[in-house]
Amino acid sequence: MPVAGILVGGAMTATSLAGRRLREELSTRRGEVEAALALGLLPRDAVLEVARPSAATALVPPLDQTRTVGLVTLPGAYVGVLLGGGSPPAAGAAQLLVLVGLLAVQVAAVWIVTELVARGRVLPGLPR
């Protein structure tokens, strides 16, 4: 149950960060989307030309967090397993499972938000 809570929380954070970045980028670079549409790109492809780089920047905080685990902070799952009587290798495996799962969920969340924005399901008012 705690791992599921961590994953859902991570997905929510990644979704809101990606959505904000996409909204900002698409509003400031609206002319580029319109130019891509004028050149004959499909609406989804025109939006993705602008959205992909900002979606990638939405993944920077989770990557930084994963990189610093164990160096700057004590990972929660690791300490929890140790305090619960587990061995250090079991604690390391649990922490690795949480970190890999968290990164996978965040990547999936950012990808889904980007696709929804590109298909016009979210953030109405984009040039079509």
Side-chain angles (χ1 to χ4, degrees), residues 54-98:
S54 58
T57 59
L59 290 172
V60 170
L63 291 172
D64 285 343
Q65 176 190 7
T66 302
R67 184 181 50 186
T68 60
V69 165
L71 298 175
V72 178
T73 62
L74 289 174
Y78 186 84
V79 173
V81 172
L82 285 178
L83 291 176
S87 67
Q95 185 62 46
L96 187 62
L97 174 73
V98 169

Side-chain angles (χ1 to χ4, degrees), residues 3-120:
V3 173
I6 291 169
L7 297 180
V8 169
M12 289 170 54
T13 302
T15 300
S16 66
L17 184 58
R20 284 186 194 142
R21 291 287 308 138
L22 290 170
R23 186 184 64 222
E24 290 169 7
E25 251 343 90
L26 289 170
S27 66
T28 59
R29 297 175 63 185
R30 183 181 183 105
E32 292 179 41
V33 175
E34 290 174 351
L37 290 171
L39 290 174
L41 265 68
L42 295 172
R44 176 185 172 273
D45 296 333
V47 171
L48 283 176
E49 286 295 320
V50 172
R52 280 190 181 123
S54 58
T57 59
L59 290 172
V60 170
L63 291 172
D64 285 343
Q65 176 190 7
T66 302
R67 184 181 50 186
T68 60
V69 165
L71 298 175
V72 178
T73 62
L74 289 174
Y78 186 84
V79 173
V81 172
L82 285 178
L83 291 176
S87 67
Q95 185 62 46
L96 187 62
L97 174 73
V98 169
L99 288 175
V100 170
L102 191 56
L103 277 177
V105 164
Q106 289 172 333
V107 167
V110 169
W111 178 72
I112 289 169
V113 168
T114 304
E115 275 298 317
L116 288 174
V117 168
R119 293 174 187 231

